[in-house]
Amino acid sequence: MCGIIGYAGPRQAAPILLEGLKRMEYRGYDSSGICVGTADGAGSTSYSLALVKKIGKIQALRQVVPKDFPGSWGIGHTRWATHGAVTDRNAHPLLDNSGRIACVHNGIIENYRALREMLEGEGVVFQSETDSEVIPNLVAKYYEGDLESAVKAALANLQGTYGIAVIHAAEPGRIVGARNGSPLVIGIGDGEMFLASDVTAMISHTKQVVYLNDGELVVVDSSGFRTTDREDRHVDKKIEKVSWELGAIEKGDYPCYMEKEIFEQPESIERALGGRIDFETASAKLAGLNLDRRRLGEISRVEVIAAGTSWHAGLVGVGLLERMARIPASAELASELRYRNPVVQRDSLYFAVSQSGETADTLYALREMQRKGGHVLGICNVVGSTIARESEGGIYVHSGPEIAVASTKAFTSQLAAFYLFSLLMSRMRDLSISEGSRFARALAGVPEQVKKVLAGRDEIQRIAKKYSHSRDFLFLGRGLMYPIALEGALKLKEISYIHAEGYAAGEIKHGPIALVTPEVPSLFLVPDDELREKTLSNMKEIKARGGPVIAVGVEGDDEVAATADDFIATPRMDPRFYPFTMVVPLQLFAYFCALDLGRDVDQPRNLAKSVTVE
Ligand code: F6R
């Protein structure tokens, strides 16, 4: 949430900052700004700060930044508002009262009121309603000719979370960054340096990166960087290489990222499975778990901690684990768990599941579980992300960068991780080698089956057009399809703004059926599993009350097709694998509804990817 960027080098900073912000726009897109240091005249050795801010997307900022905006060092920000309305004034960068210090901030300063009152008492006049504006003014208060020391002194006053980048007109070419709870990455270029919330902001310039940890501070200039901790001790950092290419974050021939990411799923699932199925032993190879067989054998319970779509993947995962490995398992909402004083058992295994690896709720829940002695593994997409680094091991899902705010390909890759883990655990328990082989072959075949579902896009688009003007929707499923119903409803509401509820199909008679009218369609997930008859009865109950029904079912299931008003066929397969194939029509359905309604599919209102605030 919010993206920050800094550049120090020989080139003009503004175009680099704007490009970086554009690539991070998915982190927040209600306003943005850049601030660069610029010489006070040709050949002058004194500098001032030049600032441009604008509400709206990065395109709106581009239009007001002068073409020849001088300055070879600077900072930028794309905002997802927390404190203060979406206005030009509240956009970052924020200046101190003298206009000589500028700061961009991602996070929330919890004690900002007290700090603001204290600074106002000392004569500071605040220009914005943000919590963040206390930072440049605190830096100014402590500044005695050294920006690094002043930032350190300012940080000692802050409670809350931050990733920040600060510049001072009197220290040309230097940027001071610090992190506590919000990500910050250093990019090492050739005679130039970058600082950003996310590697995507600088991938077109460098692949050499250094991830900062909480409590660390960095000073960069064009010649390099220096990192210290809160006690001012030097911290040695490892330089890492980003493994993906620029093409992975470009749209290519697709009209938007969400469509690209939906259609990439055969390959992204393949990557998640890549080399991890052991056909010889009919098991899975998950070396990243860092757990030997003895320790795995001792696990008596699995608990998933996650938010949103990742939580839905966790719900499928625990259903599968329970069914296959006969291990008690549950999936908890991180935002609830972190404040619940949870009971942590030593023989339990905890999975923090997160596409971004930066979700604040999941990260803080992970830390709380670790504090209580829990063994936490990560299932993450973003390599080097905070959750991935703070877990004791885990599974990278390798979907590649997911840019659209609504998560699609990361979800199916997270499923792949859970299916691999379930295979591993069940083979260590009761699953026979022949049963394991059957499961392994079906898992390896998932990408081909997903391809077949994607081939049905035109029919799904036709059905979406028919229903896109509905105001309310029900998504219903049983067993492993219940979390898929939740996911389908979430996709629809977040990108089309149609109100949708995901429900366990068996629960509708306990209340939600009162909503059913000819104007409220229900989308049913009806695989040919042991619950098919029950779900079919629920469909008939809706039909009997005049509710339109769309069914996502299995090809050749004439009875379900005849009961529904509209039928989306998916390939027949081992029922345990339907979560992969039946979620895809729901992603496409939401996408085509949103398209039909003219919504901004990649950047829906009020949302942002990577939710780094509470
Ligand atoms: C929905 C969506 C969100 C995220 C949630 C957790 O499409 O993207 O619900 O799933 O914010 O994010 P991660 O997985 O990054 O922890």
Side-chain angles (χ1 to χ4, degrees):
M1 240 159 210
C2 300
I4 67 179
I5 174 130
Y7 172 77
R11 293 192 276 166
Q12 193 190 345
I16 296 167
L17 298 176
L18 287 169
E19 181 206 339
L21 291 181
K22 182 72 197 147
R23 294 203 189 282
M24 283 191 298
E25 198 170 36
Y26 63 86
R27 298 181 69 89
Y29 35 84
D30 50 42
S31 53
S32 60
I34 59 171
C35 182
V36 297
T38 159
D40 291 333
S44 170
T45 51
S46 72
Y47 289 81
S48 305
L49 298 183
L51 174 70
V52 189
K53 309 197 282 186
K54 191 75 193 146
I55 60 165
K57 297 203 172 177
I58 307 302
Q59 189 49 29
L61 179 67
R62 267 188 209 280
Q63 277 162 7
V64 291
V65 173
K67 267 243 155 331
D68 186 23
F69 199 53
S72 60
W73 98 100
I75 54 179
H77 186 270
T78 177
R79 182 169 185 240
W80 187 85
T82 59
H83 293 58
V86 178
T87 61
D88 287 350
R89 267 174 183 259
N90 289 338
H92 299 211
L94 294 156
L95 300 180
D96 78 313
N97 260 197
S98 73
R100 304 277 292 159
I101 298 170
C103 172
V104 286
H105 169 224
N106 169 21
I108 292 179
I109 304 304
E110 285 161 5
N111 60 336
Y112 83 100
R113 277 180 203 283
L115 292 171
R116 203 170 157 120
E117 272 169 31
M118 186 257 291
L119 289 163
E120 276 169 344
E122 294 173 9
V124 173
V125 180
F126 281 86
Q127 310 294 324
S128 77
E129 299 149 357
T130 65
D131 54 330
S132 314
E133 198 183 351
V134 296
I135 305 173
N137 284 296
L138 277 172
V139 175
K141 173 181 161 83
Y142 294 111
Y143 188 75
E144 287 175 355
D146 177 36
L147 184 59
E148 180 183 359
S149 316
V151 170
K152 267 190 187 135
L155 294 183
N157 291 269
L158 301 184
Q159 286 163 17
T161 53
Y162 51 81
I164 56 165
V166 188
I167 56 175
H168 195 307
E171 302 194 20
R174 183 171 299 159
I175 307 171
V176 178
R179 106 158 240 178
N180 184 43
S182 305
L184 205 55
V185 192
I186 306 162
I188 304 165
D190 189 6
E192 57 186 1
M193 294 292 295
F194 306 82
L195 202 57
S197 304
D198 190 329
V199 289
T200 53
M202 48 205 183
I203 187 75
S204 62
H205 306 288
T206 181
K207 287 184 154 192
Q208 308 265 89
V209 299
V210 172
Y211 296 97
L212 280 195
N213 288 326
D214 280 353
E216 290 176 353
L217 181 138
V218 63
V219 183
V220 303
D221 60 28
S222 61
S223 65
F225 72 97
R226 190 161 40 80
T227 38
T228 49
D229 67 10
R230 284 195 181 112
E231 275 73 50
D232 215 13
R233 288 177 300 228
H234 173 76
V235 180
D236 261 335
K237 301 296 293 183
K238 195 168 129 222
I239 299 176
E240 300 187 35
K241 190 156 185 292
V242 179
S243 60
W244 43 271
E245 301 297 327
L246 181 62
I249 54 166
E250 293 189 330
K251 275 193 271 215
D253 292 334
Y254 286 96
C256 63
Y257 283 107
M258 186 172 175
E259 187 177 325
K260 175 180 182 236
E261 288 159 8
I262 291 173
F263 279 87
E264 265 173 19
Q265 289 179 103
E267 297 87 56
S268 54
I269 298 169
E270 188 92 58
R271 274 198 302 276
L273 298 174
R276 287 168 164 169
I277 302 176
D278 186 345
F279 289 101
E280 207 179 310
T281 60
S283 185
K285 292 183 280 193
L286 294 168
L289 296 178
N290 298 333
L291 291 173
D292 59 27
R293 293 200 151 257
R294 189 186 54 79
R295 178 77 181 90
L296 279 172
E298 286 166 2
I299 291 164
S300 69
R301 186 179 168 75
V302 172
E303 205 166 296
V304 173
I305 313 162
T309 289
S310 297
W311 180 62
H312 298 156
L315 286 171
V316 175
V318 300
L320 191 78
L321 263 170
E322 199 177 72
R323 178 189 288 201
M324 284 188 58
R326 306 298 301 144
I327 299 177
S330 63
E332 304 286 339
L333 286 169
S335 55
E336 287 294 315
L337 185 78
R338 61 182 288 203
Y339 292 116
R340 230 179 46 204
N341 194 16
V343 177
V344 174
Q345 288 163 334
R346 299 300 152 103
D347 54 358
S348 290
L349 189 61
Y350 299 89
F351 276 108
V353 185
S354 174
Q355 184 285 128
S356 62
E358 302 293 348
T359 299
D361 286 323
T362 311
L363 177 60
Y364 285 92
L366 170 154
R367 288 178 181 161
E368 181 61 13
M369 303 311 268
Q370 286 178 333
R371 270 192 288 269
K372 289 181 148 65
H375 190 98
V376 189
L377 302 179
I379 294 184
C380 293
N381 184 34
V382 178
V383 176
S385 56
T386 310
I387 291 174
R389 284 181 295 128
E390 293 197 13
S391 311
E392 281 131 275
I395 307 173
Y396 274 125
V397 301
H398 299 303
S399 337
E402 193 181 62
I403 309 288
V405 163
S407 186
T408 53
K409 64 174 179 173
F411 177 76
T412 43
S413 298
Q414 288 165 345
L415 291 186
F418 278 115
Y419 276 67
L420 288 164
F421 183 68
S422 298
L423 176 60
L424 174 69
M425 293 304 277
S426 44
R427 283 287 293 129
M428 288 181 60
R429 294 174 170 233
D430 290 337
L431 200 72
S432 69
I433 189 154
S434 52
E435 257 303 304
S437 291
R438 198 169 314 147
F439 186 90
R441 276 198 306 275
L443 183 55
V446 164
E448 268 314 303
Q449 305 294 354
V450 168
K451 236 182 236 171
K452 290 183 199 159
V453 180
L454 290 168
R457 64 167 281 160
D458 292 349
E459 175 62 359
I460 299 170
Q461 182 164 23
R462 184 193 66 75
I463 297 172
K465 256 181 181 305
K466 181 170 161 192
Y467 291 97
S468 65
H469 291 274
S470 309
R471 291 184 49 168
D472 303 284
F473 244 97
L474 290 170
F475 282 73
L476 303 158
R478 285 172 178 261
L480 292 181
M481 288 299 122
Y482 167 45
I484 300 302
L486 294 177
E487 176 59 8
L490 176 62
K491 285 291 90 86
L492 186 67
K493 66 188 141 199
E494 70 183 322
I495 61 165
S496 73
Y497 317 147
I498 298 171
H499 169 241
E501 300 237 21
Y503 248 92
E507 279 293 297
I508 46 169
K509 57 186 178 291
H510 298 295
I513 201 161
L515 294 171
V516 171
T517 69
E519 281 72 49
V520 180
S522 297
L523 191 151
F524 274 88
L525 294 151
V526 206
D528 56 344
D529 60 6
E530 70 283 3
L531 297 168
R532 177 183 169 280
E533 301 307 319
K534 307 275 173 211
T535 313
L536 192 55
S537 301
N538 297 138
M539 269 174 72
K540 290 180 177 163
E541 287 157 14
I542 300 278
K543 287 292 300 171
R545 285 159 182 82
V549 167
I550 307 166
V552 175
V554 176
E555 59 195 359
D557 192 335
D558 297 337
E559 191 182 2
V560 169
T563 309
D565 297 286
D566 288 283
F567 181 67
I568 299 170
T570 64
R572 187 174 297 277
M573 55 202 284
D574 177 331
R576 291 171 294 192
F577 293 86
Y578 284 124
F580 286 102
T581 45
M582 291 206 171
V583 76
V584 173
L586 306 196
Q587 297 168 344
L588 285 170
F589 183 78
Y591 172 65
F592 287 127
C593 282
L595 216 58
D596 202 43
L597 295 169
R599 308 293 191 223
D600 184 341
V601 172
D602 281 343
Q603 294 173 346
R605 73 177 176 216
N606 302 340
L607 295 176
K609 202 143 182 98
S610 190
V611 186
T612 54
V613 297
E614 274 198 59

